[in-house]
Amino acid sequence: MITIENLTKRYGATAVVDGVSMEIAGNSLTVIVGTSGSGKSTLLRMVNRLVEPSSGRVLIDGHDTRDEPAHLLRRRIGYAIQGHGLFPHRTVAENIATVPRLLGWDAGRIRARVEELLRAFQLDPAVYAGQLPHQLSGGQQQRVGVARALAVEPALLLMDEPFGALDPIIRAKAQEDLLEVRRRFGTTIVLVTHDMDEAFRLGDRVAVMSEGRVLQYDRPAVLLTRPADPFVSRMTGIAGRALRLLTLISAGEAAIPGAGDGPEVVASATLHDVLSELVWRGVDSVRVVDADGTPRGRLTVAAILARGRP
Amino acid sequence: MRRAANVLRIVALGALLAFLLTPQSFARLFAPFTEYGAPPIYDQGNLLTLALAQLGTVLLAAAASSLVAVGLGILVTRPSGAEFLPLSRTLVNIGQTFPPVAVLAVAVPLVGFGLKPTLIALFAYGLLPIFENTMVGLKTVPAAVLEAASGMGMSARQRLLSVELPLAMPLILEGIRLSLVISVGTATIGSTVAAKGLGEVIIAGLLSNNTAFILQGGLVTGLMAVLLYDALAGLERRLCARAHIE
């Protein structure tokens, strides 16, 4: 869906992004992770041409992004940033309606879309559509920011540390919501963060950047089991790597068929959380069930520990 | 508190209008300020006409200053115009520091007497507050808001008109208000070059040593300035509230 070809951005003599090439598949969630100054935000902003590359090009669905005026390109790409950037002088509805208005949608269609999005993000339109951003809580503002980015159902959504300013509880909920959005709309998402937990939680594939280069770009499990660079293993953390690997596997995936004993855990829980629960309770095995209660199998501490090895 | 302010407004406006419409009824008030039986109320011209003429001059000059200063302010905050900032600042500063009376002296040989040189002087004098406020207003639009506007696909023009200017509006209006009100007082100098205004009342008073005249000219000008300031503040508040801007 997106092909990044040898993209470079220089400021003076320094290459902030240095010859990056990547393929991003459609309907995937790619996370670009790195420390401050690694060039991740600049890379993201070259995809929608907020920053013009010094060399190299970006192809979206085969079309070079330079083939049309930048501002027209951006109307088809969703963009959500840290600090949301909601227009303080416009209501929630007007904020979300920004790109539809730019594209000339008629008022009825805009209104319907605004209501649909507000409901999708658990904001009652009757209450929130007419409010101003400063009247909302931080979590609500962030949700409106993402809703605004999705207003015209773009095929591609770019996010630059969108959850950075949220407290941990709201952050977790926002991440879940994003996964739900992805499930519902099939949007291709590229997300930049410095938080490795977030990368592992959300990413189908994760690109680790340092000093303008992509050191490794692969599924999270591979980053752990076959790091391409010492920096990658430092970023993913060596001390907790086994436990991190367990966060990538769900109880449902690892369940051993058969009846079990012990407390119930949902199939969607990660092995990391299941293990934690086993330790907490001091038991040796659990029963794995679906959300609706259908039994899926069982798990034991030994079975879980075996999964924590590469 | 608000009730008291409203009462004061009405009293001030009432007093001003009463004086301008029936000046002679205030004769006894000003009599103690005259000597040797000089007329207590200015009688060489209609005070109401003079006041309105002065107001008209001020509004005309303010419109011109606003247009130019806001335009310049927008220009120098664009990436392409940033190099004009030092020059613009210098020009605008000169307009302020060059005494309006001196501007009059320079303008008269060029454009003649009366309204024109006065407009030029007031125009130059009024640029600075509006220019500086426009610049600050535009520069303090939050970066995240600008980034989001660009990222969503607004062209530079759309961004300026839908986002930057509305958010800078309170400061810009503040600058215009300041400039306008200072102009009201400054406009009195226009009378030195035969422009119609309350300055001639003050000058007549200075020439004939008639303190009453000086007081009348000064008080009417002062009251006009204060009432204008107040009215514009109210207008500003209402405009900004309607546009959801603080």
Side-chain angles (χ1 to χ4, degrees), chain A residues 272-290:
Chain A
H272 176 276
D273 293 345
V274 173
L275 182 63
S276 175
E277 197 56 24
L278 285 171
V279 171
W280 188 262
R281 299 209 200 202
V283 295
D284 229 358
S285 63
V286 286
R287 285 173 295 145
V288 181
V289 294
D290 278 330

Side-chain angles (χ1 to χ4, degrees), chain B residues 6-96:
Chain B
N6 280 335
V7 167
L8 242 114
R9 276 188 195 110
I10 294 172
V11 166
L13 186 62
L16 181 64
L17 286 174
F19 181 68
L20 289 176
L21 292 169
T22 61
Q24 289 305 329
S25 54
F26 288 74
R28 234 154 2 125
L29 198 62
F30 287 101
F33 297 100
T34 63
E35 306 176 317
Y36 312 121
I41 300 290
Y42 187 73
D43 52 4
Q44 288 151 48
N46 185 321
L47 281 163
L48 180 64
T49 317
L50 292 174
L52 288 174
Q54 180 148 332
L55 200 59
T57 309
V58 165
L59 289 173
L60 210 60
S65 304
S66 303
L67 230 76
V68 171
V70 172
L72 260 180
I74 294 174
L75 174 70
V76 300
T77 45
R78 307 299 99 191
S80 50
E83 55 196 18
F84 292 107
L85 176 57
L87 179 64
S88 304
R89 258 229 174 96
T90 307
L91 287 173
V92 167
N93 282 344
I94 290 175
Q96 250 277 307

Side-chain angles (χ1 to χ4, degrees), chain A residues 117-150:
Chain A
L117 277 168
L118 283 175
R119 279 204 202 90
F121 283 85
Q122 302 109 42
L123 293 164
D124 182 0
V127 176
Y128 291 103
Q131 295 211 321
L132 294 170
H134 70 85
Q135 295 171 293
L136 304 176
S137 72
Q140 290 166 334
Q141 289 170 342
Q142 190 275 332
R143 274 182 273 162
V144 173
V146 181
R148 185 176 68 167
L150 294 171

Side-chain angles (χ1 to χ4, degrees), chain B residues 103-104 107-108 111-122 193:
Chain B
V103 177
L104 280 182
V108 163
V111 299
F113 283 87
L115 183 62
K116 284 213 205 90
T118 312
L119 283 177
I120 294 175
L122 290 176
V193 294

